[in-house]
Amino acid sequence: MTVVTRFAPSPTGFLHIGSARTALFNWLFARHYGGKFLLRIEDTDRARSTQEAIQAILDGMDWLGLHADEPPIFQSHLAARHASVAYELLEKGNAYKCYCTPEELESIRETARSEGRSPKYDGRCRNRQDDTRPFVVRLKSPQTGLTIIKDLVQGEVKVDNEQLDDMVLLRTDGTPTYMLSVVVDDYDMKITHVIRGDDHLTNAFRQTHIYKAMNWSVPAFAHIPLIHGADGAKLSKRHGALGIEAYRDMGLLPEALLNYLLRLGWSHGDDEIIPMLKAIEWFNLESIGKSAARFDFVKLNHINSHYLRETGDKALVKLIQPLLETKLGTALAPLHLERLLKGMPGLKTRAKTLLELADNALFYVHFISLDDKAKAQLTQESVDLLQGFIHILKTKEDWTERALEEAARTFSEEHKVGLGKLAQPARIALTGQAVSPSIFEIMAVLGREESLKRLQGTAK
Ligand code: GLU
């Protein structure tokens, strides 16, 4: 059997973090088994589906690198096929036309309620003769016994068939219901494993009945627990239930977000850093946790800083270039790009996000005037020290990191001050900041002329 999974988002909002994790699990499961991963846009709710949301889903998947193996399927284009299945069920005698009016349905519900029963449809049209009035098509669901799902995450889950009513498959206007469309599409797309949020678990019982009524084999189900906020409450915007593009704009790398999402609800021993190739090798449904996972920005940033360190210097320069250009309102010159590339090894170990990386790198492309915190550290004593050091530096031709460090050490020994006493005012003069990579690295990257200009500018 070739494994076929699908991600089936409804384009009514943006691709949020929980949906992205569902997509990832489906993608990984298909990749693990050398199967297929498909994308189906469930746009049947025409009033709520928007083109903007469809684009956000496609862009988000693309950014994450979760590419589907075939072009996306749009559910709304397949309504005629869905309806034809309802008619097939009518022919088979597994569905029936229901002529009940809204008033009749309300009175059925009221009677049930007054008798203390659940307000479900009582199936009274099951034996009605054909009529010319408008009708909906209902499934003849089993009325007794149990429906059992051997869910690959939740284990065996059952429902008393008595609790489920004869669901509507086709509305009076002839349009198929969501429940029917999902089943027909999953069947037509030859989906073998339905992996989705556990908010769909109850739908799975109803959907099972449609499969059985058509004599189709039921796919395997895996309902994954939802994501909660760090405080255990349902995930909200405050907790990080944002569109995927918000994470991109926060300066996260897609590989970091994927790694984080993978660990959110799935584990492989104590491994935290799991690159996608390893994830494909290791992914299984058994290791998905049964309880809700908690979203944690601190952990996400921690994983992101790991991936920043792993990313090549050139690639990082490319990623922060537009951020810096927006900040400066001008294009970066080749000289600046060269500095960024040379300075990247020292910069990338100190940032958690691309935004932070761009902020920290700003001094390489633009002299930052000193902030108050930096100014406060510039005492007369430190300025004097700096002036002495500048004097020495001016005599140096060898402008390498090593030579500069050696010169600074000799200078501080001669003046009987710790290296830090000299390095800190130099750092402030060079970067405008109190925290930065090694000043010798910075001076080597900035070059002799620019370094001396900045040092002298501050030590006037
Ligand atoms: N369209 C549904 C959703 O976005 C998913 C349906 C399914 O996976 O079966 O929640």
Side-chain angles (χ1 to χ4, degrees), residues 63-259:
W63 180 66
L64 288 170
L66 301 178
H67 302 294
D69 294 309
E70 287 174 15
I73 285 185
F74 290 85
Q75 193 164 59
S76 64
H77 299 176
L78 302 165
R81 159 71 179 147
H82 305 155
S84 77
V85 170
Y87 282 101
E88 212 177 315
L89 284 167
L90 273 177
E91 254 167 53
K92 285 181 194 289
N94 292 339
Y96 61 96
K97 293 178 182 173
C98 167
Y99 304 93
C100 291
T101 59
E103 295 75 35
E104 220 171 333
L105 292 174
E106 186 44 41
S107 103
I108 293 170
R109 279 194 286 268
E110 237 165 55
T111 314
R113 268 194 292 263
S114 67
E115 290 170 7
R117 290 182 285 112
S118 73
K120 63 171 207 173
Y121 179 64
D122 62 5
R124 67 178 59 182
C125 286
R126 278 186 173 218
N127 304 311
R128 256 192 198 166
Q129 291 307 305
D130 250 5
D131 197 320
T132 53
R133 288 185 298 161
F135 61 87
V136 299
V137 174
R138 286 185 186 270
L139 184 75
K140 239 182 228 172
S141 302
Q143 291 173 309
T144 56
L146 288 174
T147 300
I148 299 175
I149 291 174
K150 293 204 169 77
D151 192 276
L152 297 175
V153 172
Q154 311 282 336
E156 193 173 278
V157 273
K158 320 174 193 190
V159 71
D160 258 326
N161 289 332
E162 212 181 302
Q163 284 174 23
L164 307 174
D165 57 5
D166 291 342
M167 80 190 109
V168 175
L169 302 172
L170 216 55
R171 303 185 188 92
T172 26
D173 62 1
T175 58
T177 57
Y178 168 70
M179 209 66 86
L180 175 64
S181 300
V182 169
V183 169
V184 177
D185 286 345
D186 282 341
Y187 172 78
D188 287 349
M189 291 163 75
K190 303 189 169 47
I191 302 301
T192 57
H193 293 76
V194 171
I195 305 169
R196 61 186 174 192
D198 66 7
D199 47 336
H200 287 282
L201 182 61
T202 48
N203 288 345
F205 293 115
R206 294 176 173 277
Q207 289 164 355
T208 298
H209 290 162
I210 304 179
Y211 283 103
K212 292 203 166 142
M214 281 302 287
N215 210 11
W216 291 342
S217 62
V218 184
F221 287 112
H223 287 94
I224 53 184
L226 299 179
I227 302 174
H228 282 182
D231 55 4
K234 197 169 169 276
L235 199 66
S236 69
K237 272 205 173 148
R238 176 170 61 87
H239 293 118
L242 309 165
I244 218 70
E245 66 292 335
Y247 293 90
R248 187 194 53 206
D249 297 346
M250 278 175 217
L252 295 167
L253 294 169
E255 47 276 46
L257 193 56
L258 287 174
N259 188 147

